[in-house]
Amino acid sequence: MYKPNSPWTWAFVGVSFVQAAIVLGFEAYAFAKFQQSLKGDAKNFSPSHTIPTFLALYIFGFLYQLILVYDALRLKNTIQVIGLCLYNIGLLIYAAVQMNQIHDAVVLLNQKNDINPSVWNDQRPYLIAIPCIIALGTVLMAVIAWKLYDEFAWTIYKHISADLKMKRRYLTFQ
């Protein structure tokens, strides 16, 4: 089993894990508040399924990211580390879209009097914080990825030496 062996690999794992924990905590809070504020037969109306859908996608998205982080660091794969930074940008865009989608769902449910109207004011700070946290995580991951690029390049160079045939084979494999 792989265990991170340098400060930069530990930092990459740490940023990914802390970001996932905080965002999923905020999503769980938003989900709980939303579900508690539903009234009547709101569960039969499709906008009431908005937050559970976003929460489920974030859970799977962040679990997948953590698996990819482990795999990228285990294989010392710089391309995958850079890809994880791009993946985080995708999660950031998804978080930005989520805020408008939840607001629209609250407005629709409020028109039918199926939700407590104050739920939007309760959730809004958390829904604003989620993209901010992911943006910070993305910047930190990009800086750490740059350091990992240098670290992995040196490790790979030590293994394949200056043999150009080996270097081409390695790049083809990667």
Side-chain angles (χ1 to χ4, degrees), residues 2-18 69 73 144 148 151-152:
Y2 173 77
K3 181 179 175 188
N5 54 4
S6 74
W8 293 113
T9 54
W10 275 110
F12 200 76
V13 168
V15 167
S16 300
F17 185 77
V18 168
V69 165
L73 296 178
I144 296 168
L148 286 174
E151 181 180 314
F152 292 170

Side-chain angles (χ1 to χ4, degrees), residues 46-65:
S46 69
S48 68
H49 302 292
T50 302
I51 291 187
T53 302
F54 276 109
L55 178 61
L57 288 173
Y58 263 121
I59 289 170
F60 291 125
F62 279 114
L63 288 177
Y64 183 66
Q65 183 181 33

Side-chain angles (χ1 to χ4, degrees), residues 154-172:
W154 176 246
T155 303
I156 292 166
Y157 182 75
K158 286 191 303 188
H159 284 167
I160 64 172
S161 189
D163 187 3
L164 291 177
K165 287 182 184 176
M166 272 303 276
K167 187 173 183 179
R168 271 191 228 109
R169 287 182 196 151
Y170 185 80
L171 289 175
T172 302

Side-chain angles (χ1 to χ4, degrees), residues 60-125:
F60 291 125
F62 279 114
L63 288 177
Y64 183 66
Q65 183 181 33
L66 293 174
I67 291 168
L68 288 178
V69 165
Y70 173 80
D71 188 52
L73 296 178
R74 179 180 61 90
L75 297 174
K76 297 186 184 310
N77 190 334
T78 55
I79 295 169
Q80 196 171 354
V81 169
I82 293 167
L84 282 164
C85 295
L86 297 174
Y87 181 83
N88 224 39
I89 291 171
L91 288 173
L92 174 63
I93 293 167
Y94 189 68
V97 169
Q98 174 191 19
M99 197 166 120
N100 291 332
Q101 294 292 321
I102 292 173
H103 182 261
D104 292 346
V106 170
V107 168
L108 286 171
L109 287 167
N110 193 29
Q111 289 173 354
K112 294 189 173 234
N113 201 24
D114 284 339
I115 195 166
N116 183 352
S118 68
V119 71
W120 174 247
N121 293 330
D122 293 340
Q123 290 182 347
R124 190 167 181 228

